[in-house]
Amino acid sequence: MVSVQVRRSRRVAVTSAGLLVAVLSVFSPPASAAPADPMADAFAGSAATYEVPRDLLVALAYSETHLDGHGGAPSASGGYGVMHLVSNPTTHTLEQAAKLTSEPVETLKTDDAANIAGGAAVLRAHADALGLDATARKDPANWYTAVARYGNASSPEVARLYADTVYDLLANGVNTAAPSGTVTVRPQAVQPDRGDYAQ
């Protein structure tokens, strides 16, 4: 009689344990699920929305600010956020980004995700002005002139230096802990089409 009760108790315990595991598996995230990474998600989302190569967008932002938005404070040249959207007497990429994204200027200054979307939109506008179609936009090599224009350089020589820096970052990779998360670009060989900057 005792052994029958023991067997029943064991069955109940095993059944209860099985139900507990099933309930926990439904309501708990999988152990392998990666934690949310707002900065990485913002780059991926903006790259997809504006059809800009994601790694190129990260490299450009890293060359501008090392992915530090400085809490919305402007740089010496009037640049704001991770993408260094500029508002000064000669350059108005901040206002251009506001027009392209329909985001308020104040949001673009202080919100990393909005700022990254603004930078992607401005870079895409340069690509559109150069006539890059959907197929051409998929290859980071074709974005060199758009990247050179994004830097708002004072001369073609400085513009080329700026774009070369971005493409050097692509070649070497980026792995940085930004204030809003870790962003990684794996090293990749890209032979940029320098266009008019080749000379």
Side-chain angles (χ1 to χ4, degrees):
M1 187 68 164
V2 173
S3 63
V4 171
Q5 287 178 336
V6 168
R7 281 197 299 265
R8 282 184 185 158
S9 297
R10 284 183 184 158
R11 262 191 229 129
V12 169
V14 168
T15 303
S16 299
L19 285 171
L20 182 61
V21 168
V23 168
L24 288 175
S25 68
V26 170
F27 293 105
S28 300
S32 61
D37 196 333
M39 182 77 74
D41 291 346
F43 277 112
S46 295
T49 298
Y50 293 100
E51 298 181 8
V52 176
R54 180 261 185 198
D55 290 353
L56 182 67
L57 189 63
V58 173
L60 189 152
Y62 189 81
S63 73
E64 285 281 6
T65 64
H66 285 211
L67 308 187
D68 186 350
H70 300 288
S75 69
S77 60
Y80 292 88
V82 173
M83 298 301 298
H84 200 251
L85 296 171
V86 179
S87 180
N88 65 32
T90 59
T91 305
H92 303 282
T93 54
L94 178 65
E95 291 80 6
Q96 181 187 11
K99 185 177 179 181
L100 292 169
T101 63
S102 300
E103 289 282 1
V105 165
E106 288 305 314
T107 302
L108 289 166
K109 288 180 179 180
T110 58
D111 183 87
D112 286 342
N115 188 271
I116 291 166
V122 170
L123 186 60
R124 170 62 188 274
H126 288 308
D128 288 347
L130 293 165
L132 292 186
D133 62 18
T135 302
R137 287 195 301 270
K138 291 177 182 176
D139 185 351
N142 296 326
W143 287 79
Y144 186 93
T145 300
V147 169
R149 290 182 179 180
Y150 187 97
N152 302 302
S154 57
S155 70
E157 292 79 14
V158 175
R160 174 169 169 159
L161 181 63
Y162 174 86
D164 282 348
T165 300
V166 173
Y167 279 84
D168 285 346
L169 284 166
L170 266 183
N172 295 317
V174 174
N175 188 1
T176 184
S180 299
T182 301
V183 181
T184 302
V185 171
R186 291 182 178 159
Q188 52 200 277
V190 176
Q191 186 61 48
D193 177 1
R194 289 187 171 89
D196 291 342
Y197 293 99
Q199 302 304 316

